[in-house]
Amino acid sequence: MTPMQTTAKREIPFWLLAAILCAVVVLWSIIADQGYQTIFFALSRGVSTTLYVTLVAFTLSVCLATIVVLARVSPLRVLREVATFYIEIVRGIPMLVLLFYIAFVGAPWFVGFFNWGMNPLIELGLFGKMTVRGFDFTWRAIIALTISYSAFIAEIFRAGIEAVDRGQVEAAKALGLGRWHTFRFVVAPQAFKLILPPMGNELVAMIKDSALVSVLGVQDITQLGKVYSASTFKFFETYNVVAFLYLVMTISLSLIVRWLESIMGRSMRETNRHRR
């Protein structure tokens, strides 16, 4: 281990100490101040909604991004062009605009299409007619987040796949492995190590962007904070608690991602050392 590495290991993360100090101050206010306690319990109901929207949307984004990136790296030009079109268009639309588009344009269109397609079964009484009001705003928000983030995640996947040494792919083909087995056993494991940090960043970003769903009236942390502050005029205290709740989630997740990254980094160094 070099002196520089030793020094880096012994460095105290002052930013983390400062963040913990701020958290302790807010936490002490929540414990000691009755007003802060009331605000905290009022807003904590929105944590489950925020986490639900984030986790479901992120899972669906990864699934959709996997399909998009497979088309993006496909040998068929038509699939590549369609996937590229999807990625470039979606990435160019602001998240809030896409959220409004899905909520107020896409949802009514989907309801109309569903009723048209299922009309014979609806007339037989096997299905009820779907209404726009029956399309939950939470799911409209989840769909918007899924579409938006799938484009960015697909590009992360593509960068990870293309970063794998092409010589290893050629070696796998020389050993008789097919395209799927080469991807599964050679490309995917190495690409996963490369995409983990940016994927963690995307998850943190989605937690923050989930606050945008409050414009649809979804009862997340931000929406509850907006309603509570408007009714009590305690804007400073309320948004202190809102920021505190988001920071606890995002910083905790960032630390977990860094821990996983360090573990995988040690694993890669040990693998390279054994190869030598």
Side-chain angles (χ1 to χ4, degrees), residues 114-116 118-130:
F114 177 85
N115 289 334
W116 172 79
M118 304 298 286
N119 187 58
L121 298 178
I122 292 173
E123 290 181 351
L124 292 173
L126 298 177
F127 279 95
K129 192 172 184 179
M130 193 175 184

Side-chain angles (χ1 to χ4, degrees), residues 11-25 251 255:
E11 281 184 353
I12 299 174
F14 289 115
W15 70 269
L16 182 58
L17 294 178
I20 291 173
L21 179 61
C22 293
V24 168
V25 171
I251 292 179
L255 292 175

Side-chain angles (χ1 to χ4, degrees), residues 195-237:
I195 68 175
L196 179 62
M199 285 292 288
N201 293 337
E202 289 298 303
L203 182 54
V204 170
M206 185 177 282
I207 290 176
K208 295 187 292 183
D209 278 350
S210 69
L212 293 174
V213 306
S214 63
V215 301
L216 301 181
V218 177
Q219 299 294 298
D220 70 328
I221 298 170
T222 304
Q223 175 65 9
L224 292 177
K226 185 165 59 175
V227 171
Y228 188 89
S229 60
S231 61
T232 62
F233 297 100
K234 294 182 178 180
F235 295 97
F236 178 74
E237 296 89 342

Side-chain angles (χ1 to χ4, degrees), residues 25-276:
V25 171
V26 176
L27 192 59
W28 175 253
S29 299
I30 293 172
I31 294 172
D33 190 315
Q34 185 65 39
Y36 266 103
Q37 285 183 23
T38 304
I39 295 170
F40 177 78
F41 287 117
L43 302 189
S44 59
R45 293 183 290 110
V47 173
S48 59
T49 302
T50 296
L51 291 176
Y52 172 75
V53 169
T54 301
L55 294 177
V56 173
F58 189 77
T59 302
L60 294 176
S61 296
V62 171
C63 295
L64 181 56
T66 302
I67 297 172
V68 173
V69 78
L70 289 176
R72 183 79 166 79
V73 298
S74 170
L76 298 177
R77 183 177 177 182
V78 174
L79 292 179
R80 291 201 307 271
E81 294 293 341
V82 171
T84 304
F85 174 81
Y86 173 84
I87 290 170
E88 296 302 330
I89 293 298
V90 172
R91 289 199 307 169
I93 301 175
M95 181 67 237
L96 189 58
V97 174
L98 185 61
L99 187 67
F100 284 141
Y101 193 89
I102 295 299
F104 302 115
V105 180
W109 178 86
F110 174 79
V111 169
F113 180 78
F114 177 85
N115 289 334
W116 172 79
M118 304 298 286
N119 187 58
L121 298 178
I122 292 173
E123 290 181 351
L124 292 173
L126 298 177
F127 279 95
K129 192 172 184 179
M130 193 175 184
T131 63
V132 176
R133 288 182 177 274
F135 200 138
D136 187 30
F137 273 103
T138 301
W139 273 100
R140 300 188 199 191
I142 288 173
I143 292 170
L145 287 169
T146 297
I147 292 174
S148 180
Y149 273 82
S150 65
F152 292 95
I153 293 174
E155 282 297 275
I156 291 173
F157 285 174
R158 182 187 64 81
I161 291 170
E162 292 183 351
V164 176
D165 186 5
R166 304 310 300 173
Q168 297 189 35
V169 176
E170 295 299 326
K173 290 180 180 178
L175 291 172
L177 292 178
R179 185 179 181 85
W180 166 246
H181 286 92
T182 299
F183 177 80
R184 180 181 176 185
F185 296 111
V186 178
V187 177
Q190 297 182 69
F192 177 76
K193 295 178 181 179
L194 297 172
I195 68 175
L196 179 62
M199 285 292 288
N201 293 337
E202 289 298 303
L203 182 54
V204 170
M206 185 177 282
I207 290 176
K208 295 187 292 183
D209 278 350
S210 69
L212 293 174
V213 306
S214 63
V215 301
L216 301 181
V218 177
Q219 299 294 298
D220 70 328
I221 298 170
T222 304
Q223 175 65 9
L224 292 177
K226 185 165 59 175
V227 171
Y228 188 89
S229 60
S231 61
T232 62
F233 297 100
K234 294 182 178 180
F235 295 97
F236 178 74
E237 296 89 342
T238 300
Y239 286 107
N240 277 345
V241 176
V242 169
F244 171 75
L245 291 172
Y246 277 111
L247 283 171
V248 167
M249 291 187 289
T250 55
I251 292 179
S252 298
L253 182 59
S254 296
L255 292 175
I256 291 171
V257 171
R258 291 189 181 195
W259 175 68
L260 290 173
E261 187 180 352
S262 66
I263 290 177
M264 298 185 77
R266 285 200 302 269
S267 175
M268 290 180 70
R269 286 193 295 270
E270 288 176 3
T271 302
N272 292 334
R273 190 161 54 245
H274 288 317
R275 284 177 181 173
R276 292 173 188 171

